[in-house]
Amino acid sequence: MEVNLEFIRKQVLEMDQTLIRDFNPKDDFDKEKYSGFEAMAEIDVLICEEPTTLTVGFPKRFPNVLPSFYDDENQFGSIPHKLPGGLLCFTRIDSLLIDTRYPSSIVLNCLEKVISLIESGITGENQNDFMEEFEVYWIKKSFLDIYAHIDTSNERVRELNLWSKNIPENDFFIAASEKKDDIENLEKLVKHLFKIDISNANKYRCFYIPLKEGTFLIPPLDEKWSFSELKTNIMSNLTEENLKIFNRLANRPVKSTSLEYIIVGLPTPNGNVALFGFGMTGNKIPFKSHKKNKETQKQLHPFILKPKDMSVYNAKINRWHPSHLIGRSGGHIQLNDKHILIAGVGSIGSEIAMRFAKAGVGKISMVDNDRLEFGNIHRHVLGSDQLYYAIEEVPLMQKSKVFGMKDEINRKYPFSKVEAFYKDILTVPEEMDMNKPNFDLIIVAIGSPNTEMELNRLFQGLPEPPPTLYTWVEPLGIGGHTLVTLNGERKGCYQCLFKPDEIEPIFNRSAFAQPFQDFSKSITGCGSSFVPYSFLDSERSAILTVEAGIKILMGKMQGNPLLSWKGDPSLFEESGYKTTIRHSFDSGKLEETKYLYKDSSCPVCSLEGRDTSSIAN
């Protein structure tokens, strides 16, 4: 669609508005400078009660795409959110709804934000935004890309390993942990993530320098910082302790490479840390020697003794430390030091394991003694590529679910530590200490009530049991459940769901399906029987369980509730099955009654029935 500036001009000037004093389309403009724009105009406005002219660019898809505004004459100097070239960043496109019926109103609404931004910059009201946008400005002047694995919560100056690898059309830089013991694991991780082998790459010295809280730096806007500016801005904003650490490390000579690198952590007012970096080289490198033999000469850091003809190259820092990746994607960095155990990694358990890894749980242990089959893959996290081991001597070696899950989690989320145990869950309490703090949370997703009741008795008898969740689905999409136990109290457990009746056999009182109905299906006889439910049911129960688990790990859930979700019962009822009264409860009623399952005479968790001989005082 062609942008009709005359039409917009006429509408704007005829509207009852006070922002635009005049609107003048530009017949000719620099297509290279203003690439992507169909038309340009100059508008006269008042900013801080002074007459001012701004340039407006209209993209081809306007009004579906917002116009852009420029301070072409640099009338306002250096203010936040103004990029080199004068572009004023006044909004994020996804934060503004566009009513395309009124293109002139769109211009006015955008202009109102632009004027507010400029006036805040002139008065200094938004000076802190320089800090929030520091990385954006720095990147504009960057020559290098460094992929950095840095824990910014560690506020001490430290030396990093930095490797440079020449790859087609570019140099690849990796900066990471300074610990020598981590190098081998780091090389494997880099190869896994970036598909690059750094074992034979060039290695250089690199420092991570966190600046002190309250540091205020205006980023380089038009020109790069000189070496002197760079050094002053960094060294004058170190804590006394970090200054001592840096001087000690930097005074330690290294073998001459003629290149040095620094990555700086800048605390921002919003509580984050901006990262920027640079490389330094000079024609005459400073040396220190204790002997006359030139082979013993070693390079000093340029911040200690500046070489002549010093060159500085700004570097964009691309983060890949898990604390940044998890926080950025909605995970919880507080979960990084948590250890969970998942018993059963079938359709539900596999979804739970993957979601906890995605949430940022640091260590996941899984127990299962089942192997993956073709019949599993359409409601399991693992696909057909995890069915068999690739072993030449033993073709068609079927893979266990736990080892398949370990491979899949390591592939997708390599920062999670995963342990796999191919064994019966009932043997695990005999072989390892299940108490806190060895585990922070246990999830039981095996779908076998008899085994789950036995596990419940074992866990209830531990001296310091971790919170334990039981989760399962019901047939044909009717619903699913997650039971929280041992979350700060022992009252309320899995056995409570099976309160005995004098007349009928025990049954799960949380169920939506009436008891004693046969839901198993078979395709080729008894050996192929299964309970019919879909991957969607598994995912819904997994989500319910993981949400509860995260709340527990972060101390945001109290007590032992029974949590349930309800699905569409039409297929269930069409198949001739019957529901319980509990299925008639709406979500409010389910929430209201989530603690009523508890059995005051439960033989496992009640004070009367509990066997206290196995529980430590």
Side-chain angles (χ1 to χ4, degrees):
M1 179 186 293
E2 184 177 344
V3 178
N4 189 337
L5 288 191
E6 286 297 334
F7 174 76
I8 295 173
R9 178 183 185 276
K10 182 178 178 182
Q11 270 200 335
V12 165
L13 297 180
E14 288 179 353
M15 291 174 69
D16 183 18
Q17 55 86 23
T18 58
L19 291 179
I20 299 178
R21 297 154 60 90
D22 203 358
F23 185 107
N24 300 303
K26 295 180 70 170
D27 297 328
D28 189 30
F29 61 92
D30 187 339
K31 303 264 184 194
E32 187 174 336
K33 179 180 178 181
Y34 300 109
S35 61
F37 294 110
E38 181 80 6
M40 305 290 296
E42 289 183 341
I43 56 173
D44 294 340
V45 296
L46 285 178
I47 295 180
C48 292
E49 300 185 359
E50 294 292 329
T52 306
T53 300
L54 298 176
T55 301
V56 190
F58 294 88
K60 187 174 183 178
R61 291 177 53 213
F62 177 83
N64 298 87
V65 177
L66 297 180
S68 295
F69 295 78
Y70 290 84
D71 173 21
D72 269 346
E73 303 299 324
N74 195 26
Q75 303 162 89
F76 317 114
S78 299
I79 61 172
H81 306 291
K82 189 176 85 169
L83 298 181
L87 176 63
L88 297 158
C89 301
F90 64 94
T91 190
R92 285 173 39 230
I93 183 63
D94 56 358
S95 67
L96 189 67
L97 291 176
I98 303 174
D99 190 340
T100 57
R101 296 174 299 171
Y102 308 106
S104 301
S105 294
I106 293 173
V107 175
L108 290 169
N109 289 335
C110 291
L111 180 60
E112 190 173 20
K113 294 178 182 294
V114 169
I115 292 174
S116 175
L117 181 148
I118 294 171
E119 291 182 340
S120 295
I122 292 172
T123 61
E125 181 182 338
N126 64 353
Q127 281 291 290
N128 279 340
D129 290 2
F130 272 133
M131 300 280 284
E132 308 288 0
E133 302 289 332
F134 194 97
E135 288 186 7
V136 176
Y137 290 101
W138 188 266
I139 289 169
K140 296 291 182 181
K141 304 292 182 182
S142 292
F143 180 77
L144 309 173
D145 278 285
I146 297 177
Y147 292 81
H149 182 274
I150 297 174
D151 179 9
T152 57
S153 66
N154 180 349
E155 298 177 356
R156 288 173 62 88
V157 168
R158 54 198 184 272
E159 190 171 343
L160 305 175
N161 293 301
L162 185 139
W163 291 266
S164 172
K165 181 85 172 182
N166 184 261
I167 58 177
E169 301 182 1
N170 205 350
D171 283 329
F172 181 79
F173 293 89
I174 281 281
S177 170
E178 72 280 14
K179 297 178 182 177
K180 293 182 179 179
D181 295 342
D182 291 344
I183 299 301
E184 186 177 346
N185 290 333
L186 177 67
E187 290 176 357
K188 292 178 181 177
L189 190 56
V190 170
K191 195 166 187 177
H192 173 80
L193 291 173
F194 302 101
K195 310 300 184 282
I196 290 175
D197 183 3
I198 60 169
S199 61
N200 59 353
N202 296 319
K203 189 175 177 182
Y204 302 97
R205 180 163 63 174
C206 178
F207 288 111
Y208 174 63
I209 304 180
L211 305 184
K212 62 186 177 184
E213 288 289 338
T215 296
F216 180 80
L217 294 178
I218 294 180
L221 303 174
D222 298 316
E223 300 292 334
K224 292 195 309 179
W225 286 340
S226 67
F227 175 80
S228 297
E229 290 174 314
L230 196 60
K231 180 179 177 181
T232 299
N233 286 337
I234 293 172
M235 302 304 286
S236 64
N237 285 296
L238 293 181
T239 63
E240 287 186 19
E241 181 183 6
N242 274 337
L243 184 58
K244 289 177 182 177
I245 296 173
F246 176 79
N247 285 329
R248 175 169 52 81
L249 294 174
N251 269 296
R252 189 172 63 200
V254 296
K255 290 181 180 180
S256 175
T257 61
S258 78
L259 289 168
E260 295 274 2
Y261 295 88
I262 285 179
I263 297 174
V264 181
L266 174 64
T268 60
N270 63 5
N272 294 322
V273 176
L275 293 182
F276 63 96
F278 51 92
M280 299 176 289
T281 185
N283 292 336
K284 293 185 178 180
I285 300 297
F287 289 102
K288 180 176 183 178
S289 176
H290 297 291
K291 297 181 181 179
K292 293 182 179 180
N293 187 344
K294 291 184 178 179
E295 292 180 359
T296 65
Q297 291 183 331
K298 294 187 177 182
Q299 178 179 319
L300 290 177
H301 195 275
F303 277 14
I304 301 299
L305 182 62
K306 177 188 173 186
K308 294 182 179 179
D309 304 319
M310 192 71 188
S311 296
V312 177
Y313 303 95
N314 286 12
K316 173 187 175 184
I317 307 303
N318 303 280
R319 310 178 196 221
W320 57 284
H321 191 276
S323 63
H324 173 73
L325 301 181
I326 293 168
R328 187 180 186 279
S329 57
H332 304 276
I333 194 60
Q334 302 96 314
L335 302 180
N336 191 50
D337 62 349
K338 303 298 184 183
H339 182 190
I340 67 171
L341 173 69
I342 301 173
V345 287
S347 57
I348 304 174
S350 64
E351 294 282 357
I352 289 171
M354 195 61 71
R355 281 174 163 79
F356 270 120
K358 190 180 293 189
V361 168
K363 186 175 180 180
I364 299 172
S365 293
M366 298 176 293
V367 182
D368 198 306
N369 62 349
D370 197 12
R371 294 186 182 273
L372 190 67
E373 299 178 356
F374 276 107
N376 301 139
I377 62 176
H378 280 286
R379 65 180 188 187
H380 200 280
V381 163
L382 301 180
S384 58
D385 61 324
Q386 294 281 7
L387 281 167
Y388 299 102
Y389 285 103
I391 303 175
E392 292 182 6
E393 296 82 3
V394 188
L396 294 181
M397 180 67 177
Q398 200 172 1
K399 202 168 190 178
S400 66
K401 291 177 180 177
V402 282
F403 289 114
M405 284 301 300
K406 176 180 171 68
D407 290 344
E408 191 71 2
I409 293 173
N410 285 339
R411 182 179 70 83
K412 288 186 173 181
Y413 310 106
F415 299 110
S416 290
K417 184 176 180 181
V418 183
E419 289 188 343
F421 300 93
Y422 178 59
K423 57 179 61 182
D424 186 336
I425 179 60
L426 290 174
T427 67
V428 173
E430 300 172 0
E431 299 174 3
M432 66 175 70
D433 186 355
M434 306 289 289
N435 287 285
K436 295 178 182 178
N438 295 316
F439 295 100
D440 297 288
L441 184 70
I442 297 174
I443 299 97
V444 180
I446 56 179
S448 173
N450 293 316
T451 303
E452 287 167 338
M453 281 189 276
E454 189 168 351
L455 287 172
N456 179 68
R457 285 192 292 272
L458 287 170
F459 296 152
Q460 289 282 335
L462 291 172
E464 293 184 86
T468 303
L469 278 62
Y470 299 83
T471 183
W472 64 99
V473 295
E474 297 203 45
L476 299 170
I478 193 174
H481 313 274
T482 296
L483 176 66
V484 179
T485 69
L486 296 169
N487 183 34
E489 61 180 15
R490 295 181 190 265
K491 188 176 180 181
C493 73
Y494 187 74
Q495 187 67 53
C496 289
L497 299 178
F498 298 87
K499 184 176 182 180
D501 187 282
E502 293 181 358
I503 301 174
E504 294 181 324
I506 61 172
F507 62 92
N508 190 330
R509 294 183 299 121
S510 70
F512 292 146
Q514 284 190 19
F516 317 121
Q517 301 180 94
D518 184 10
F519 303 108
S520 62
K521 301 293 181 183
S522 173
I523 296 176
T524 58
C526 297
S528 64
S529 64
F530 61 97
V531 176
Y533 61 89
S534 77
F535 70 96
L536 293 173
D537 304 330
S538 302
E539 290 178 1
R540 288 187 70 174
S541 283
I543 291 170
L544 182 67
T545 303
V546 173
E547 285 181 342
I550 289 173
K551 288 178 181 178
I552 291 169
L553 290 171
M554 298 182 70
K556 295 183 178 180
M557 178 181 284
Q558 304 299 321
N560 299 323
L562 170 64
L563 310 171
S564 302
W565 64 267
K566 286 174 57 176
D568 183 354
S570 56
L571 181 59
F572 183 89
E573 293 170 345
E574 287 169 10
S575 300
Y577 297 120
K578 296 180 180 179
T579 60
T580 62
I581 293 176
R582 189 167 186 265
H583 181 262
S584 66
F585 293 178
D586 60 21
S587 58
K589 184 73 170 178
L590 290 172
E591 173 69 17
E592 182 184 332
T593 59
K594 64 184 179 182
Y595 295 107
L596 298 185
Y597 74 92
K598 296 179 182 180
D599 180 5
S600 60
S601 60
C602 174
V604 177
C605 72
S606 72
L607 289 175
E608 297 139 6
R610 188 186 309 159
D611 178 9
T612 57
S613 62
S614 63
I615 300 174
N617 292 327

